[in-house]
């Protein structure tokens, strides 16, 4: 089996033709992941028992002549901030090194109901805070395309396993670009759906009003199938949307002629020339397909980073309070009083980036500063959302770069938080507005580093986003010029 | 219990000042399940049994607001005559404590469920309205247990069964001017909450908790004094004692040239004193911000109307009605509206009796006396409201005498039978039939010629003797009025 290049379609074909059973596929996928993982450190741990049990259920269904589901037999990797019953969920943190959740995230339940096989849990920045995967307590992930470079973050492991071929698809989480940026760095498709489209139940919270679960795939089609399986209203998440889930694969029809695309002028400055050139060529390809392109202004963009790092850190400071050493968190030893125990546990347990964000967030919510920071940031967030709704009065879709630069070297930016935060400059606006956006491979730099193109649409208009991305992918990306 | 400091401040000194009191009252809503998850709220389960990922605050778990809790909170707001805005919002109140597993409480902050209401209290016959500033919803924390275990010197234990229990916090205006008013307010509040079945308000189970903000100012002064917040007022008695202590303490401080410090003070029921908490412990900055895991709570006109339609008549309204249309005295109306069960019982009995006043006397007299003697609650009464009403109706119709009714009632109370059943079985129906009575009276007259002589000779009191003889002959079943009338006719 050439499992490293399998798509969902290929898995289903193999199962239908009795070329292999789901159990055989699961065993091969586990073996391959185990053998290849040392190259990237993308998986933190595998869960063979769970994968094999799910495979057995798929094989039984096939034997009984039942529909085994749209993800039947598909090996899926899960970012380790998404909880899995009976399978360790560390969030990339020392504090949860031995934590085994007693329940499954809704997205995990749903993808297993659709026949998916949970292969294992992927590495990530601690509590999803970072843009390079270097903030993991369990070591960084190497980019499968260029092993001396980062895979992006925070869902670096989930992007890397798909690029490396050790999983067919994966789930990541995106708060400010944590799916799209690593997808761009690793040359795969990564989707941040509309806020509320996928239940957050079981997603360890970083910044609740910005957190999304979304899929990675080697093709737009695979990402669309996985999203279709996990999307939809969940009574366990009060912020999940009632809107019905369309068949996303039905949108992959190539009908992009006449689609109006907007290029945000604010995004096109400050690009490395290579990224800028690739995006420009990608846009030409879309024009050739019959899309109409015009420039669009999103004037509030300049305030997006400041706005994001206030709201996200404020929510994080509260969400991370529960890791206090009292219950499941690893507790520091030797403390004599309660407050000493809190300090020692959190002081030893959290990495530098988490501490930085907890302090920032605590500060912006403090009495006397709330109005100046948090409240003002909420107003800016509303302006950013307004920019997008105005843009979408003129165009169907926005096309933009994902990151100002391709994958950088391990260690290159880790000591400069501001430089690191700028990695997210083009992705956080979409997160703040809660609109669907994805990264689709656009092309490669002269050094062979992937560059992704970002496609953003209106709330719940995932079909148009997938339609354009699929047409672009089939045209060969920027190389299709 | 009084304490040294209070004793040192003479009453005439205290009398020169006016206390200003506001209360913050937490009421546990009587829902079957917790506010943000489906765990039961039952009291007394083994520690950490009524828990799930949501109320344990496990990574990834999310709150979902209980509709039942919102409706009870809406009823509380309606009972307190509050306005319920169309949108309210939940907020996180952040602080660290071992029995607070999320590290924050989900409460409401700048957009509470309800605002601007009032409660009427009546003190020595004078009615006064106490303003309600706001009513908001929140989840309760768990319980830390610091002693009772053999390693309690080194460890505290945490029970999270209570964690996530729905609460409302009711904040009053600084409208109370004495500890008696505060006591009356809390009494009225508790009664209303029980009446509308919002809460059982059992203080021992922590279902009703009260903190007080207290200050004093010289009588006639406009400006409020500096307030202290007094916590740990876990019974009505403690509330009054703590307030009296704190008022005297503040007067003492001012009279000796000092200044009252704004602080949180803990009431110690063992000493009867309030003690300032170390400033570090209450210097909390809760860093409130809107709860991103919950959408704003929108209350539509329809929803509001539906909940309003389920509201029972409030005790104060009931009292007014009992006085005005049932003709009860104020005291009786008070007694009969003490609880929802009692007032329901009374109303049913009154309707069946056709005489509201007589029904009131029977309920408050014979029934409550008998219940008290057996240590029973009204809900456990062996005599149903309908049966008691029927008994009262029989007296009204002259079918049984009041004396006989008391005997019948005693039998009803011990057997639970309806009065008609007892009357039928024991043949106790009152004899009002003139022909039957005439026969008996004729016999009595014939048997007592000497007394007939005396009566006719002008000794009117002998009539009583004849009535007694007739009653004896009828085993008390003769209608006394009819007997009197017939005797006069026949003897006269």
């Amino acid at each position: 089996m050439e499992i490293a290049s399998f798509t969902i379609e290929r898995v289903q074909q193999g199962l239908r033709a009795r070329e292999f059973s789901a159990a055989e596929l699961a065993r091969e996928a586990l073996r391959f992941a185990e053998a290849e993982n040392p190259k990237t450190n993308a998986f933190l741990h595998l869960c063979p028992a769970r994968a094999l049990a799910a495979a057995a259920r798929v094989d039984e269904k096939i034997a009984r002549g039942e529909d085994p589901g749209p993800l039947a037999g598909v090996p899926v990797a899960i970012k380790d901030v998404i909880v899995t019953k009976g399978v360790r969920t560390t969030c990339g943190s020392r504090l949860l090194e031995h934590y085994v959740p007693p329940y499954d995230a809704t997205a995990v339940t749903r993808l297993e109901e659709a026949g998916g096989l949970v292969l294992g849990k992927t590495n990530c920045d601690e509590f999803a805070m970072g843009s390079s995967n270097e903030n993991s307590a369990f070591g960084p992930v190497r980019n499968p395309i260029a092993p001396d470079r980062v895979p992006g973050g925070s869902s670096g492991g989930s992007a890397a396993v798909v690029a490396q071929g050790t999983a067919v698809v994966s789930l990541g989480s995106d708060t400010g670009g944590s799916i799209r940026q690593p997808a761009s760095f690793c040359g795969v498709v990564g989707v941040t759906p509309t806020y509320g489209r996928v239940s957050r139940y079981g997603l360890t919270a970083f910044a609740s009003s910005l957190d999304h679960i979304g899929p990675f795939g080697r093709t737009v089609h695979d990402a669309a199938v996985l999203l279709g399986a996990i999307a939809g209203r969940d009574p366990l998440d009060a912020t999940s949307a009632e809107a019905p889930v369309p068949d996303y694969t039905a949108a992959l029809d190539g009908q992009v002629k006449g689609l109006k695309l907007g290029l945000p002028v604010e995004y096109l400055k400050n690009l490395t020339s290579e990224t800028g050139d690739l995006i420009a060529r990608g846009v030409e390809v879309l024009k050739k397909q019959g899309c109409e392109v015009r420039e669009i202004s999103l004037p509030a963009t300049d305030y997006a980073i400041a706005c994001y790092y206030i709201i996200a850190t404020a929510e994080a400071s509260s969400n991370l309070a529960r890791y206090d050493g009292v219950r499941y968190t690893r507790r520091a030893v030797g403390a004599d009083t309660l407050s000493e125990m809190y300090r020692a546990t959190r002081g030893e347990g959290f990495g530098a980036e988490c501490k930085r964000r907890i302090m920032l967030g605590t500060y912006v919510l403090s009495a006397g500063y709330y109005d100046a920071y948090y409240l003002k940031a909420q107003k800016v967030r509303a302006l950013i959302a307004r920019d997008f709704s105005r843009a979408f009065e003129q165009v169907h879709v926005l096309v933009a770069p994902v990151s100002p630069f391709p994958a950088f070297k391990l260690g290159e930016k880790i000591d400069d938080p501001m430089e690191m935060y700028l990695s997210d400059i083009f992705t956080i606006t979409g997160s703040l507005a809660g609109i669907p956006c994805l990264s689709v491979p656009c092309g490669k730099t002269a050094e062979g580093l992937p560059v992704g193109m970002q496609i953003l649409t209106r709330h719940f208009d995932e079909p148009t986003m997938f339609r354009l991305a699929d047409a672009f992918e089939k045209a060969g990306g920027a190389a299709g010029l | 219990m009084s304490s040294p400091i209070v004793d040192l401040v003479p009453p005439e000194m205290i009398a020169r000042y006016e206390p200003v009191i506001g209360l913050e009252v937490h009421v546990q809503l009587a829902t079957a399940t917790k506010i943000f998850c489906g765990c039961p709220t039952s009291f007394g389960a083994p520690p950490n049994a009524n828990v799930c990922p949501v109320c344990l605050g496990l990574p990834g778990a999310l709150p979902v607001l209980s509709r039942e809790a919102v409706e009870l909170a809406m009823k509380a707001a309606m009972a307190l005559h509050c306005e319920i805005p169309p949108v309210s919002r939940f907020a996180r109140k952040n602080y660290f404590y071992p029995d607070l597993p999320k590290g924050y409480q989900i409460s409401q902050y700048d957009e509470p469920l309800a605002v601007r209401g009032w409660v009427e209290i009546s003190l020595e016959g004078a009615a006064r309205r106490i303003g309600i500033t706001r009513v908001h919803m929140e989840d309760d924390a768990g319980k830390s247990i610091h002693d009772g275990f053999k390693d309690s010197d080194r460890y505290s234990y945490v029970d999270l069964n209570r964690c996530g229990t729905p609460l409302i916090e009711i904040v009053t205006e600084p409208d109370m001017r004495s500890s008696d008013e505060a006591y009356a307010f809390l009494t009225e509040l508790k009664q209303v909450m029980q009446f509308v079945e919002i809460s059982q308000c059992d203080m021992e189970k922590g279902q009703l908790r009260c903190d007080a903000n207290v200050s004093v100012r010289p009588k006639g002064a406009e400006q409020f004094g500096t307030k202290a917040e007094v916590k740990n007022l876990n019974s009505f008695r403690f509330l009054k004692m703590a307030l009296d202590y704190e008022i005297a303490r503040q007067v003492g401080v001012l009279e000796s040239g000092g200044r009252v410090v704004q602080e949180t003070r803990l009431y110690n029921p063992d000493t009867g004193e309030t003690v300032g908490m170390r400033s570090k412990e209450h210097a909390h900055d809760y860093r409130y911000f809107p709860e991103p895991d919950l959408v704003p709570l929108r209350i539509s006109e329809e929803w509001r109307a539906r909940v309003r339609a389920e509201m029972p008549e409030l005790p104060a309204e009931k009292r007014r009605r009992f006085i005005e249309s049932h003709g009860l005295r104020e005291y009786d109306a008070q007694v009969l509206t003490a609880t929802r069960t009692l007032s329901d019982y009374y109303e049913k009995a009154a309707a069946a009796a056709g005489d509201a006043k007589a029904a009131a006397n029977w309920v408050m007299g014979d029934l409550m006396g008998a219940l008290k003697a057996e240590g029973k609650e009204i809900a456990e009464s062996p005599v149903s409201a309908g049966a008691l009403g029927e008994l009262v109706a029989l007296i009204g119709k002259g079918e049984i005498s009041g004396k006989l009714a008391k005997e019948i009632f005693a039998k009803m109370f011990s057997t639970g039978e309806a009065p008609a059943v007892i009357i039928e079985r024991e043949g106790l129906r009152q004899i009002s039939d003139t022909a039957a009575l005439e026969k008996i009276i004729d016999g009595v007259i014939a048997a007592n010629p000497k007394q007939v002589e005396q009566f006719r000779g002008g000794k009117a009191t002998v009539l009583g003797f004849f009535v007694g003889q007739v009653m004896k002959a009828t085993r008390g079943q003769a209608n006394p009025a009819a007997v009197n009338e017939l005797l006069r006719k026949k003897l006269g």
Side-chain angles (χ1 to χ4, degrees), chain A residues 83 96 99 102-103 195 200-204 208-209 235-239 314-315 317-319 321-324 326-328 338 342 346 362 365-367 370 374, chain B residues 53-54 56-65 92 94-104 110 155 158 160 285-295:
Chain A
V83 304
L96 295 179
Y99 174 62
Y103 76 105
Y195 185 80
R200 289 184 295 118
Y201 191 73
L203 168 61
T204 304
S208 315
S209 74
L236 298 176
D237 176 359
T239 63
E315 293 181 12
S317 70
S318 174
N319 283 327
R322 66 190 64 191
Y323 308 110
D324 58 4
V326 174
R327 294 162 314 274
Y328 43 82
L338 181 63
Y342 283 152
R346 293 166 67 81
T362 303
L365 288 178
S366 299
Y370 181 85
Y374 188 81
Chain B
V54 176
L56 287 174
L58 294 187
L62 296 171
V64 176
L65 180 60
R92 290 191 187 172
N94 296 284
Y95 63 97
F96 283 91
Y97 208 68
D99 58 26
L100 188 70
K102 300 188 297 297
Y104 54 84
D110 49 2
Y155 292 102
V158 175
L160 295 174
D285 178 355
Y286 291 119
R287 293 174 284 117
Y288 281 100
F289 73 101
E291 166 57 277
D293 287 332
L294 292 169
V295 292

Side-chain angles (χ1 to χ4, degrees), chain A residues 249-336:
Chain A
T249 58
L252 311 183
D253 55 9
Q255 302 295 310
V256 297
K257 193 160 183 252
L259 213 55
K260 290 181 187 150
L261 312 187
L263 290 181
V265 288
E266 289 80 3
Y267 291 29
L268 300 173
K269 50 187 187 187
N270 305 325
L271 282 179
T272 68
S273 58
E274 273 196 300
T275 299
D277 290 349
L278 280 167
I279 297 296
R281 276 158 55 202
V283 170
E284 287 306 312
V285 169
L286 293 172
K287 273 190 194 163
K288 250 178 64 184
Q289 303 246 318
C291 297
E292 297 167 23
V293 178
R294 70 174 75 167
E295 288 194 337
I296 284 288
S297 176
L298 301 171
T301 300
D302 286 349
Y303 309 105
I305 291 244
C307 167
Y308 174 83
Y309 277 94
I310 288 169
I311 293 171
T313 59
E315 293 181 12
S317 70
S318 174
N319 283 327
L320 269 53
R322 66 190 64 191
Y323 308 110
D324 58 4
V326 174
R327 294 162 314 274
Y328 43 82
T329 321
R330 199 174 75 160
R331 182 186 299 175
V333 290
D336 284 332

